[in-house]
Amino acid sequence: MRNVLFPVAVAAGALLATTTPAHAVDPSFAPYVETALDNGMGPGPAPRGSATADFDSDGRPDIVTITDFTQGNIVLATGDGDGTFTPGAEIAGTAGAQGLDAGDINGDGKPDVVAATTSEMMVRYGNGAGGFTAGPSYSQALGGQVEPRLLDLDSDGDLDVAAPTFTAIQTLINNGNGTFAAGPTTQLSGACAVSAISPARLDNDTRSDLFAVDGCSSTIYALRSNGGGAFTATGTLYVGGGLVPEDIAAIDLNGDGFDDMAAIGSFSFTLTTALTNGQGAFTGSVGSYQFGGAGPTSLTAADLNQDGRKDLAVSWLASAQPGVTVLAGNGTAAMRRVGDFTVASFPQNPMVADYNGDGKPDIVTAGPGGLSYLRNTTP
């Protein structure tokens, strides 16, 4: 059975460079449009509090998002096809969820939702019409942040789950029908508060690998999958200098077919990127960027100007006017800041998809009281 991961785009790194390819046009976005949403205090601070997929089978991307700072049920907002959304029904029984992901876990061609609390991972099966039915729940250990991620750990075509504990990566292995069995837990030497993870391609096999970031030691781990849910740490990178890493993304910065790393520090206002070598180790080529007064919260990698190189969208909030910073990839470890684009207050994990059907990847962030839509205007 072959399942697919539904978040329409995911994101990754950026930093300072001096040149832009002659053929590339900088990504640009129109002023944001907000859709009001009864989500109280918003999704909260977890790296992934919202996800995008076509949950009602109308060909338009929709959004599921955590509400009231994890105290309310997850809510579905269906896309109207113009960058606005219609608030939909709550997903019953999902209060307490702090992180989520979306993908087809049972092979029926319809996106489902996995959502994690501080102690369990909940499954909600999508019916393709905007509704969800409750599936089983599974025990999960608490981590530095709560973040379930869907990925294929054993190359069988089914989506499994990886999530951080404080000192390790825990896994659930798909039985092939959208139910899971407990998988291995991989301890990370020296870690004390793993704050974020990101699926990655670090080598030539078909198993999903991971990046993980430890918020205590400011260490990045490159983790190659051994199959069946176990990992081997094949690379580590200390990114100190006051950085308290809070989110991480996989991005192929140099076009070699293997993912490189981008991590942000909310309290140090920094972004760090690093290249890998195709065997799960870091090469030593590192870039950095200072946000200067803006607290970055989460990041997403996507090819925003469709030049074949992934860019980075970073949401930030420690400013009088919050926004999303876009940095363009240029084929090296360094990336070039394109600009800042204003959105509504307290934006969390930028979601990238073609929300208005014009063939260009747009950006949506979720915050208290609504969704902010940035329409891609790149020529």
Side-chain angles (χ1 to χ4, degrees):
M1 173 167 53
R2 183 178 183 275
N3 289 346
V4 290
L5 192 61
F6 275 80
V8 184
V10 247
L15 290 98
L16 215 59
T18 56
T19 60
T20 307
H23 65 280
V25 177
D26 281 348
S28 59
F29 296 87
Y32 81 94
V33 174
E34 188 170 15
T35 294
L37 196 63
D38 185 16
N39 66 347
M41 297 173 64
R48 294 291 177 273
S50 308
T52 189
D54 183 6
F55 292 102
D56 57 3
S57 306
D58 65 354
R60 301 167 177 172
D62 310 308
I63 286 172
V64 287
T65 184
I66 290 169
T67 66
D68 205 17
F69 221 74
T70 76
Q71 299 306 300
N73 285 326
I74 296 167
V75 68
L76 168 69
T78 55
D80 295 332
D82 60 0
T84 63
F85 298 85
T86 298
E90 295 181 349
I91 303 179
T94 55
Q98 295 194 8
L100 57 77
D101 206 352
D104 178 10
I105 62 173
N106 60 357
D108 64 356
K110 302 164 185 174
D112 311 300
V113 172
V114 295
T117 70
T118 59
S119 61
E120 67 175 353
M121 199 274 290
M122 302 178 286
V123 173
R124 294 296 183 270
Y125 300 115
N127 64 7
F132 298 86
T133 57
S137 295
Y138 304 90
S139 295
Q140 294 272 271
L142 178 62
Q145 293 195 100
V146 175
E147 186 183 12
R149 299 302 297 266
L150 289 168
L151 68 175
D152 185 1
L153 293 171
D154 50 10
S155 304
D156 65 354
D158 300 317
L159 293 176
D160 310 302
V161 178
T165 73
F166 277 105
T167 62
I169 304 299
Q170 59 192 329
T171 61
L172 294 169
I173 305 303
N174 199 323
N175 293 317
N177 59 1
T179 66
F180 297 88
T185 293
T186 301
Q187 294 291 327
L188 303 183
S189 177
C192 65
V194 180
S195 51
I197 61 175
S198 175
R201 182 173 187 264
L202 299 178
D203 55 27
N204 272 322
D205 66 33
T206 57
R207 300 185 294 263
S208 293
D209 307 306
L210 278 182
F211 287 121
V213 55
D214 179 49
C216 284
S217 65
S218 297
T219 300
I220 309 296
Y221 297 84
L223 303 170
R224 288 176 64 179
S225 175
N226 297 334
F231 298 92
T232 297
T234 52
T236 58
L237 179 69
Y238 175 67
V239 292
L243 174 67
V244 180
E246 187 161 338
D247 197 10
I248 192 167
I251 179 174
D252 182 1
L253 291 170
N254 59 357
D256 65 355
F258 303 106
D259 282 323
D260 307 301
M261 181 282 301
I264 53 170
S266 293
F267 300 102
S268 58
F269 301 165
T270 54
L271 168 69
T272 301
T273 57
L275 299 183
T276 65
N277 66 358
Q279 298 177 358
F282 294 105
T283 66
S285 182
V286 178
S288 62
Y289 176 77
Q290 186 75 38
F291 282 88
T297 59
S298 43
L299 72 169
T300 300
D303 184 1
L304 297 172
N305 59 352
Q306 298 175 302
D307 67 348
R309 295 173 176 166
K310 286 196 174 179
D311 311 301
L312 190 68
V314 182
S315 61
W316 43 268
L317 50 78
S319 173
Q321 182 57 64
V324 172
T325 293
V326 172
L327 301 105
N330 74 339
T332 72
M335 296 182 73
R336 181 178 53 85
R337 176 179 168 274
V338 170
D340 301 331
F341 301 92
T342 297
V343 295
S345 61
F346 296 100
Q348 294 295 332
N349 65 292
M351 293 165 284
V352 178
D354 180 10
Y355 290 102
N356 66 347
D358 67 354
K360 300 176 182 180
D362 310 304
I363 298 172
V364 170
T365 60
L371 302 171
S372 294
Y373 161 65
L374 290 170
R375 178 174 61 86
N376 192 326
T377 59
T378 308

